[in-house]
């Protein structure tokens, strides 16, 4: 681990920071199958296991489908369980993701965002996690290494909260965040232990004195009730996320909340964007602000559940919004974030004009000039009250 | 389906479909799925217990080492018992459910 010249800070890549957070959390079980660009997490964490720095049972499995299956079995046995993956790995877990959430197992997974094949590509976009957006997992997106590190602790608390009991996914951008070294502030081991506490499962398959069944068949007389319970838990996760994030802020001084609003309060035009590209867009905001342009940015952190009321509240005064998706829904209409944001704004009497822009697929660079270009289009829509092109690829 | 849970029960269904104790299949009546119902002619039956071994639903009732009938709360009417009862005996008949 690189100790940097910055006082109190440690230089870590996103992957090493997540592995370090996992070491501090010390989960009972970690079934893993490495895949680029999340391999570093598994590599580093397996060293911690080999060195005896954690008590974790590391299970090396033969595929990601098996990794998630082992997570499910271990979590049903009452263990605190974590894993990490990317891209095709998350796609191969897909069937099991629904089983984890339907069984209400609070597994915590780090997804290092990477494009899905074909064509095969190892670089960043959000097609992997967005493909899992309806799988019943909580999804938290991270702009920086610091935020990814912090999010992992909060994810454990939100997932295991008695009003929630759902698995959670922390997402960060492949290579951009996972491999870039950033100076971050680490939390002490004792403080982490105190914050995440001990996982007390309601049931355990290993409790032979109280035999239980997980995964039983349910028929039309009960299935919908279980799904309704799950849906209510997902709704409750929003309030729990606010509460846990506030507690985290009080304890460690970094306040996050449901989303990050940058120079938004007096803006007329804004970009809504996830993860690391928000940083690039903020530079563009500052440049345009210097020219007197009233622009701002909103970066959702919690995407599942989608905090539509709060996001509507933060965007309602705007004249125009461009929602930038690093993934295409292939619906010939707009990206997934665009559709959620636009739908959230529908109930307003007077609503901003909204456009969808697809950028950065397969790791294509998104530069300040690209953000400025997008802002110019939103400013034009704000001035004219008209969206010229509803959906468009940029950074082509 | 006879097992539709009441409104009050619905609110208390264990999260995630967990069955929180053992032996609950006994309380869950699935006999309503049955189309054909078995009946036994005890004057022919030799109590060989083949039907008891073969029934996939443990629906053959045995008392004091004697086959005495069927648990119709769980029998699905598959007819396996009737086929497996030795040919020379053929003590079990399957009939349209009259109930
Ligand atoms: S009909 Fe099928 S389920 Fe019913 S008693 Fe015979 S073997 Fe068992
Ligand atoms: S298989 Fe036939 S003879 Fe044997 S116990 Fe069953 S009914 Fe009786």
């Amino acid at each position: 681990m690189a100790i940097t010249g910055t006082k109190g800070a440690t230089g870590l890549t996103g992957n090493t920071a997540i592995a370090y957070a996992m070491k501090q959390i010390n989960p009972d079980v970690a079934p893993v199958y490495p895949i680029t660009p999340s391999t570093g997490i598994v590599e580093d964490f397996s060293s911690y296991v080999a060195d005896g720095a954690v008590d974790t049972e590391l299970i090396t499995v033969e595929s990601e489908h098996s990794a998630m299956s082992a997570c499910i079995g271990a979590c049903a046995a009452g263990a605190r369980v974590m894993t990490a993956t990317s891209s095709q790995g998350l796609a191969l877990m897909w069937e099991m993701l629904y089983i984890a959430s339907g069984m209400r197992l609070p597994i915590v997974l780090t997804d290092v965002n990477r494009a899905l094949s074909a064509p095969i590509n190892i670089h960043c976009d959000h097609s992997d996690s967005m493909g899992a957006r309806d799988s019943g997992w909580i999804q938290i997106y991270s702009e920086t290494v610091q935020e990814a590190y912090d999010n992992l602790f909060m994810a454990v608390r939100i997932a295991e909260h008695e009003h929630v009991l759902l698995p959670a996914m922390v997402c960060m951008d492949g290579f951009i965040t996972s491999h870039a070294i950033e100076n971050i502030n680490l939390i002490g081991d004792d403080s982490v232990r105190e914050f995440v506490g001990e996982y007390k499962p309601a049931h355990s398959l290993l409790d032979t004195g109280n035999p239980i069944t997980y995964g039983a068949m349910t028929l039309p007389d009960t299935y919908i009730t279980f799904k309704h319970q799950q849906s209510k838990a997902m709704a409750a996760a929003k309030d729990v996320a606010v509460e846990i994030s506030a507690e985290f802020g009080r304890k460690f001084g970094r306040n996050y909340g449901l989303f990050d609003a940058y120079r938004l309060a007096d803006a007329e035009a804004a970009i809504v964007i996830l993860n690391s590209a928000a940083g690039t867009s903020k530079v563009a905001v500052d440049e345009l602000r210097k020219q007197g342009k009233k622009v701002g940015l909103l970066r959702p952190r919690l995407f599942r559940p989608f905090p539509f009321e709060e996001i509507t509240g933060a965007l309602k005064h705007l004249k125009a919004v461009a929602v930038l998706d690093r993934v295409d829904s292939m619906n010939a209409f707009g990206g997934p974030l665009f559709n959620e944001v636009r739908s959230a704004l529908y109930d307003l009497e007077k609503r901003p004009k909204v456009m969808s822009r697809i950028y950065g697929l397969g790791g294509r660079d998104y530069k300040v000039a690209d953000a400025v270009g997008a802002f110019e289009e939103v400013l034009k829509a704000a001035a004219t009250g008209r969206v010229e092109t509803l959906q468009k690829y940029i950074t082509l | 389906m006879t097992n539709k849970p009441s409104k009050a029960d619905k609110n208390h269904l264990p999260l995630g479909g967990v069955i929180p104790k053992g032996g609950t299949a006994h309380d869950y009546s699935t006999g309503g799925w049955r189309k054909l119902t078995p009946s036994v002619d005890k004057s022919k039956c030799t109590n060989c217990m083949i039907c008891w071994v073969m029934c996939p639903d443990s629906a053959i009732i045995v008392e004091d080492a004697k086959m005495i009938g069927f648990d119709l709360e769980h029998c699905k009417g598959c007819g396996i018992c009737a086929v497996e009862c030795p040919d020379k005996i053929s003590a079990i008949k399957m009939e349209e459910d009259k109930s």
Side-chain angles (χ1 to χ4, degrees), chain A residues 102-104 165 203 210-216 218-219 221-222 225-226 229, chain B residues 1 3-5 10-22 28 33:
Chain A
M103 286 188 182
R104 309 294 299 277
L165 289 172
H203 308 286
N210 297 292
I212 54 158
T213 300
Y214 265 95
T218 64
L219 292 171
D221 56 352
T222 50
T225 306
F226 291 118
Q229 289 174 339
Chain B
M1 192 79 41
N3 288 286
K4 208 172 157 60
K10 274 189 180 175
N11 296 329
H12 294 103
L13 286 180
L15 298 185
V18 168
I19 300 175
K21 58 181 184 186
Y28 193 77
W33 305 0

Side-chain angles (χ1 to χ4, degrees), chain B residues 38 54-57 59-60 70 74-82 94:
Chain B
M54 301 308 283
C55 171
D57 271 293
I60 304 290
F70 307 92
H74 298 97
C75 163
K76 309 288 186 302
C78 66
I80 290 173
C81 53
M94 302 299 297

Side-chain angles (χ1 to χ4, degrees), chain A residues 31-74:
Chain A
V32 289
Y33 191 86
I35 180 169
T36 302
S38 61
T39 304
I41 297 175
V42 175
E43 263 174 17
D44 279 16
F45 189 71
S46 61
S47 300
Y48 293 133
V49 174
D51 294 347
V54 289
D55 310 309
T56 310
E57 180 77 32
L58 188 90
I59 312 178
T60 52
V61 286
E62 73 277 26
S63 76
E64 288 87 353
H65 190 280
S66 306
M68 188 43 62
S69 301
C71 285
I72 290 166

Side-chain angles (χ1 to χ4, degrees), chain B residues 40-42 44-52 60 67 70 81 84-86 89-92:
Chain B
V40 60
D41 180 349
K42 282 306 288 180
K44 293 186 189 167
C45 169
T46 62
N47 297 310
C48 71
M49 295 301 151
I50 288 177
C51 57
W52 179 81
I60 304 290
M67 186 280 184
F70 307 92
C81 53
E84 295 297 337
C85 181
I89 303 168
S90 291
I92 299 179

